[in-house]
Amino acid sequence: MQFKIDTKEKILIFRLEEAALDAKMAAELEKEVLGIPELTGLNLVLDLHSLQSADARALEAIFTVYQHRYDHGLSAAVTGLNKVLTAELSELHPEMLNIVPTESEAIDMVMMEDLERELLGDE
């Protein structure tokens, strides 16, 4: 599986460089993203602009990686999905709210959630 990672303050950006994700690659996606040592303590942006097709297992893997950040008190956002995959993912997981068109919007979204956690934690 081809991908690039980029770390910014409080955010790790995972850029998938594959056109299709099947069940086998879905398991690899989970393993790769969740196994990145630098991910510890960081919010996540999944940049899926290269992805053109994904089967049901792949969509579950995307949600698993996304939800993992929230389970650890952090944030995640998915960006770059085409309209078909956005609709499929939204239908399967309506609670997955952070699906945005651009990386910039994804970064803004996770940073705003991070700021909100900081402000609420101080009360």
Side-chain angles (χ1 to χ4, degrees), residues 18-60:
E18 298 287 346
L21 270 183
D22 58 18
K24 181 181 177 186
M25 291 178 75
E28 191 176 344
L29 175 71
E30 287 182 39
K31 180 181 170 189
E32 290 291 343
V33 175
L34 300 179
I36 298 171
E38 297 90 349
L39 185 59
T40 303
L42 294 178
N43 299 297
L44 176 67
V45 171
L46 282 174
D47 182 347
L48 304 176
H49 72 275
S50 296
L51 192 61
Q52 298 302 311
S53 65
D55 65 14
R57 177 62 187 99
L59 295 175
E60 285 301 317

Side-chain angles (χ1 to χ4, degrees), residues 3-113:
F3 63 89
K4 292 181 181 175
I5 59 171
D6 184 19
T7 54
K8 299 186 180 295
E9 183 183 351
K10 298 185 179 186
I11 298 174
L12 184 133
I13 300 170
F14 183 94
R15 290 184 185 90
L16 183 65
E17 297 184 344
E18 298 287 346
L21 270 183
D22 58 18
K24 181 181 177 186
M25 291 178 75
E28 191 176 344
L29 175 71
E30 287 182 39
K31 180 181 170 189
E32 290 291 343
V33 175
L34 300 179
I36 298 171
E38 297 90 349
L39 185 59
T40 303
L42 294 178
N43 299 297
L44 176 67
V45 171
L46 282 174
D47 182 347
L48 304 176
H49 72 275
S50 296
L51 192 61
Q52 298 302 311
S53 65
D55 65 14
R57 177 62 187 99
L59 295 175
E60 285 301 317
I62 291 167
F63 179 74
T64 298
V65 168
Y66 172 93
Q67 189 60 45
H68 183 269
R69 294 291 76 204
Y70 285 95
D71 293 345
H72 288 84
L74 296 161
S75 296
V78 175
T79 186
L81 276 182
N82 65 38
K83 290 180 183 181
V84 172
L85 292 176
T86 297
E88 290 175 3
L89 191 57
S90 295
E91 185 177 321
L92 283 172
H93 298 286
E95 69 276 23
M96 190 171 173
L97 302 175
N98 296 350
I99 304 174
V100 295
T102 68
E103 184 179 300
S104 176
E105 289 172 290
I107 291 169
D108 289 348
M109 186 167 282
V110 296
M111 291 306 292
M112 287 186 52
E113 285 185 358

